[in-house]
Amino acid sequence: MTGVGQNSPSPLGQNSVAKPGNTTGFASPAGDSIEGPLDLTDILDMRRPSRYPVRVAGDALTARGILHGDILIADAATPPTSGRVAIVMLAGDVLVAQLAYRDGQWWLRSGIAQAPAVPITEDAEIWAIVTGLVRTTV
Amino acid sequence: MPVFGLIDGNSFYCSAERAFAPELRGKPLVVLSNNDGCAIARTPEAKACGIGMGEPWHLIKNRPECRAVLWRSSNYSLYGDMSRRVYDVLTERVPQVEPYSIDEMFLDLAGLPNLESFCRRLRDEVRQVTKIPTCIGIGPTKTIAKLANRIAKNRAEMGGVCDLRDAHDRRRHYQDLTAGDVWGIGSKAAAKLATAGTVTIADFIAMEPRAVRDLLTVTGARVQAELRGLSCLPLSLMAPTRQGIAVTRTFGRPVETWAEIREAVATYTTRAAEKLRAEGLEAGHMAVFAHTSPHNDDPWHSAQRGSVIEPTADTAALIGEAVRLLQAGWRPGYRYFKAGVMLTALAPVARQASLFATRDPARSALAMEALDAVNARWGHGTLRPASTGIVRPWGARQQRLSPRYTTRADEMMIGQAF
């Protein structure tokens, strides 16, 4: 909260002398414009109650641009649509998969071309829809 | 007319565990208290195995009918974050929400049309966003809303919502439920009522208010008025000012040496001091206790000392006081089982220096601010007094602690790419 208002009343930069870390009497011209580093929590809207982070394991979705170790931002309030990537709880497993809707039901379409699609049965759950992705090293 | 709702999570801790662990779904599951002691949350499947609330795990695990029961240590970082999510969903839809506990929230539902279907949609939304199933009770008073919630929970056919705004509906339930089922009527009060011939809620509300006050003081009279439909407890959106802060724990194993018990008490004091500072308070009185186990054949010893202290929120100063108090009461040769620190005489941090101050409050405030900032950034206990120990062999057992899925970068839920 360093502002001009704080410093200006004292003559000849008296405050600057008293303040540790100031080596010259001149205030930085950027002093009033310093902003913190940008916050990925805001960019990814992580404070929404429906947003969850999920870490990817495996390379099956590489063609879709999702790599092993990526952090997905999943939203549990977003309705599922064909073609989107979803987090699905199926037979005790947590899967990251592409959704497809046909013949009146949802399917998981594998990222591996020759692998067959798997129907999302009654006891499975489309847990959340992937809305964003974070990769810490490229 | 006021309308209150009470929403609470079904087996909240278990449901929070299940949200991220599909392998726990449909299975009997319990969450154990601190130190993996007693069952404090049970899924319906676990209740069906005959597991009671608060039953010690070491008894449960030996019963043949409980062999399939799964368990987890309590993971309060996870439950706290899931509770925050439930609260956030509710505040988006309901004008006013009062968090009553980690898994219960009172709602101000006055003036909302089609209340039952509104509440059903609210339940669905909480379920979808947080994966936690809930029940909602509705009533003209908080006490009735709480009772309605209990009814919704016990009767699956109600679909998780019970509306007791109507006096006729209430009368029907009041005949079937005992006074001890009511929020605010503890087991002692229920026993007193039973001696006076009052068993059901219908009996209780039929009593003369004066007789209720004589028997159960003004608190009981207020419960009776609330059950009659007269709202006495408004929604309180401000957390009440704290009277005291207590940090008490059972050790992971009996503690016999001075070095270990001092470490433990210093650790609890550190935590209590953090809580104190988080609320901008300082403490003017401290009590420290340690006792042996009442559950085994170890000789009983209880050390308890309290003292007025120079008001402070400084971790180092408080540890000094705690160790001094503990030293006076502690005896070698006993196997201590539990210890704790209690801070009372709390007051907002004094702006003015005390006449007899022996500490430098400005320096202390700077040091504590830095300490709290480091721990907020890097996690609890990153920077801590050396007196709280490094290895901590006395520490609580948490043998099946689940990941802190939503609050730690290295503990996120893992999804297998398909």
Side-chain angles (χ1 to χ4, degrees), chain B residues 343-360:
Chain B
L343 300 175
T344 48
L346 307 185
V349 172
R351 296 265 160 240
Q352 286 178 332
S354 140
L355 188 55
F356 303 107
T358 59
R359 304 179 182 117
D360 180 348

Side-chain angles (χ1 to χ4, degrees), chain B residues 198 200-209 212 224 228:
Chain B
T198 302
T200 66
I201 302 177
D203 298 340
F204 179 56
I205 65 163
M207 281 176 79
E208 269 297 314
V212 174
Q224 191 202 31
R228 285 177 163 186

Side-chain angles (χ1 to χ4, degrees), chain A residues 13 16 22-29:
Chain A
S16 313
N22 273 11
T23 52
T24 74
F26 299 101
S28 160

Side-chain angles (χ1 to χ4, degrees), chain A residues 47 49-58 60-61 71 76 87 89 92-97 108 110-111 118 125 127, chain B residues 19-23 25 82 84-86 88-89 92 128-131 405-406 409-410 412-418:
Chain A
R47 282 184 193 84
S50 53
R51 298 260 154 131
Y52 296 91
V54 181
R55 178 88 65 179
V56 178
L61 290 167
I71 299 165
I87 309 299
M89 305 267 177
D93 292 321
V94 182
L95 302 177
V96 183
L108 295 186
S110 175
V118 169
E125 179 194 359
W127 195 84
Chain B
F20 302 90
E23 72 275 15
R25 296 184 179 189
M82 295 311 281
R84 188 265 307 173
R85 290 172 192 264
V86 172
D88 285 354
V89 174
E92 278 173 20
Q128 188 184 357
V129 167
T130 67
K131 317 298 172 188
Y405 299 103
T406 57
D410 49 353
M412 281 175 214
M413 183 167 77
I414 292 174
Q416 190 67 42
F418 177 76

